[in-house]
Amino acid sequence: MNELQIAQQMEIVGGGVGTWIVCVVVGAAVYKMLFSRSGRVSIPKLISIEWR
């Protein structure tokens, strides 16, 4: 059997760098929505949320 490289092990566990970046961005958006009275979160051509 071949041993897995560290990057492959992280993908199996779910700890890839891309996953962490997405989690940080989503967390920042949720934090902004919870603690501000009005604002807008948008990702062009995918999603746009505005609240007051």
Side-chain angles (χ1 to χ4, degrees):
M1 262 170 78
N2 294 333
E3 292 186 17
L4 296 176
Q5 294 177 352
I6 292 176
Q8 292 169 330
Q9 292 175 4
M10 289 179 68
E11 287 177 9
I12 291 171
V13 174
V17 175
T19 303
W20 285 104
I21 292 172
V22 169
C23 289
V24 168
V25 169
V26 169
V30 169
Y31 180 84
K32 183 178 177 182
M33 290 173 68
L34 291 175
F35 293 104
S36 67
R37 294 179 184 221
S38 66
R40 178 175 44 186
V41 174
S42 69
I43 300 172
K45 298 183 181 180
L46 289 179
I47 188 169
S48 178
I49 301 171
E50 188 171 335
W51 65 95
R52 293 179 190 238

